[in-house]
Amino acid sequence: MNTRTAGMDVAPTGTGLLGIEAIEPEFAASVRAGLGQVEDALRTAVSDADPLVGSAARHLVEAGGKRFRPLLALSAAHFGNPEAPAVVQAAVVAELTHLATLYHDDVMDEAPVRRGAPSANARWTNTIAILTGDYLFARASDLVADLGPEAVRLQARTFARLVTGQIRETAGPLGDTDAVEFHLHVLAEKTGSLIATSARFGAMFAGCGPAITETLTAYGEEIGVAFQLSDDLLDIASTSAESGKTPGTDLREGVPTLAVLHALAGDDPAEARMRELISRPISDDDEVAEALGLLRESPAMATARETLAAYAQRARDSLATLPDVPARRALESLTYYVVDRTG
């Protein structure tokens, strides 16, 4: 529920299907149409609120985003019946849940900007932002109740993992816990869990069998962690606001992303200055630029990229048992996209 949980949602909706446009036109058109339905349903979900609540709730819905979770749900549904009416509703539940966490994120991180616009807490207050997040959770719960007890249970368990991941990150690793392993586990809980559930929802409500559903769920968790690692690397590697936020945002906030953890674990005297800079939040613009330059050329970045590639490969490998249909090729394409986007 940190801003990093959501960094993958920074581009305006409609800018593309994250590299899957090249898949068969009929498939891409179907997914795009489904995303249009999701967008309409998201606006409907927050349209009947009190004017103040409605304005705050629409704030991030209207800011757009890649809609990665709905995209995955709609793609997964193509292994069954993608026209099943519950598919879009399940995708909306996943996205509302995600959007709700963003409001809480911004309060925790004191973030002034989200998706290129003032954050809800900056525009209103922390209290309004927190309660708006709660409101979106309630709307998601209302919608998921129509999908049956299995969906309600899955939604609850997913949310429990999200919160557990946030608590773990806030508390930090205990004792002699390996910092990198701890970090990757937190990413699986905070980011991978809801993305896995999005894929599971798509498969479930499209009528896929247990084997396909489990495979897509496993894929979702791996690609979810990969996407987050990719976003964190982009915050370092980009030289402009490609990631939807100013490069170096994580360094300014003192967020220990994977590359930073590897760098801090090093002992090369030549990297002493880099370790000094990244061991604390950085407020000075010149120091942020210096730290970014040092990190970009460091072995730690190469190691973090290797980890990203490994997660993407595991996600790709998990698809091997699925039918060779356009949806499978689209999901394979996403595994290359998450690596290639970091340059």
Side-chain angles (χ1 to χ4, degrees):
M1 306 200 253
N2 180 281
T3 49
R4 295 179 300 109
T5 310
M8 62 186 72
D9 298 285
V10 293
T13 303
T15 57
L17 299 182
L18 306 187
I20 71 171
E21 296 95 331
I23 307 303
E24 280 82 343
E26 184 177 349
F27 168 81
S30 174
V31 172
R32 195 177 295 280
L35 287 173
Q37 295 177 55
V38 167
E39 209 64 31
D40 291 342
L42 286 172
R43 283 168 169 74
T44 298
V46 298
S47 64
D48 60 352
D50 169 273
L52 174 58
V53 177
S55 178
R58 289 193 303 273
H59 184 61
L60 285 185
V61 170
E62 293 176 349
K66 288 187 175 68
R67 304 298 191 230
F68 184 73
R69 292 152 191 81
L71 174 67
L72 198 54
L74 295 168
S75 296
H78 278 260
F79 291 93
N81 174 18
E83 303 302 321
V87 169
V88 167
Q89 187 164 339
V92 172
V93 167
E95 186 66 8
L96 280 174
T97 301
H98 170 59
L99 289 172
T101 69
L102 304 191
Y103 286 87
H104 291 176
D105 286 348
D106 288 344
V107 172
M108 293 180 66
D109 300 330
E110 300 179 351
V113 176
R114 165 71 66 181
R115 296 176 176 175
S119 61
N121 50 305
R123 180 170 174 180
W124 291 282
T125 64
N126 282 348
T127 300
I128 294 295
I130 290 169
L131 293 174
T132 302
D134 293 345
Y135 172 78
L136 291 182
F137 279 127
R139 295 298 295 126
S141 298
D142 187 27
L143 291 174
V144 79
D146 293 333
L147 298 176
E150 184 179 0
V152 171
R153 186 176 297 109
L154 179 58
Q155 171 77 351
R157 290 176 177 174
T158 301
F159 187 49
R161 286 191 71 195
L162 285 168
V163 173
T164 298
Q166 183 62 64
I167 292 172
R168 289 185 199 277
E169 182 176 69
T170 301
L174 303 176
D176 59 354
T177 304
D178 181 81
V180 168
E181 289 182 10
F182 177 84
H183 177 71
L184 293 172
H185 183 65
V186 165
L187 292 189
E189 290 181 321
K190 288 181 51 178
T191 304
S193 61
L194 184 56
I195 293 174
T197 293
S198 301
R200 190 177 194 89
F201 271 161
M204 281 173 54
F205 292 109
C208 296
I212 289 179
T213 300
E214 292 299 330
T215 294
L216 289 167
T217 302
Y219 167 87
E221 184 137 340
E222 298 285 1
I223 197 68
V225 175
F227 219 133
Q228 188 61 66
L229 290 171
S230 174
D231 191 64
D232 294 346
L233 283 168
L234 193 61
D235 185 57
I236 298 170
S238 62
T239 55
S240 64
E242 296 170 279
S243 61
K245 55 184 182 180
T246 303
T249 296
D250 293 330
L251 294 177
R252 294 177 187 275
E253 296 174 357
V255 174
T257 58
L258 186 61
V260 167
L261 289 172
H262 281 302
L264 289 173
D267 57 5
D268 186 344
E271 296 181 340
R273 173 58 177 167
M274 177 180 67
R275 291 194 296 273
E276 175 194 347
L277 287 168
I278 65 176
S279 64
R280 54 178 169 79
I282 310 174
S283 57
D284 182 80
D285 289 345
D286 290 338
E287 288 190 341
V288 170
E290 181 184 2
L292 286 173
L294 293 170
L295 274 171
R296 288 167 186 155
E297 301 301 321
S298 70
M301 276 292 279
T303 302
R305 289 183 189 277
E306 290 171 2
T307 301
L308 164 61
Y311 271 93
Q313 184 63 55
R314 285 201 295 272
R316 190 156 53 247
D317 290 345
S318 71
L319 301 173
T321 61
L322 294 177
D324 186 14
V325 296
R328 172 176 159 179
R329 294 189 285 279
L331 297 182
E332 288 173 344
S333 177
L334 282 176
T335 68
Y336 292 106
Y337 172 84
V338 296
V339 175
D340 294 344
R341 71 193 286 253
T342 68

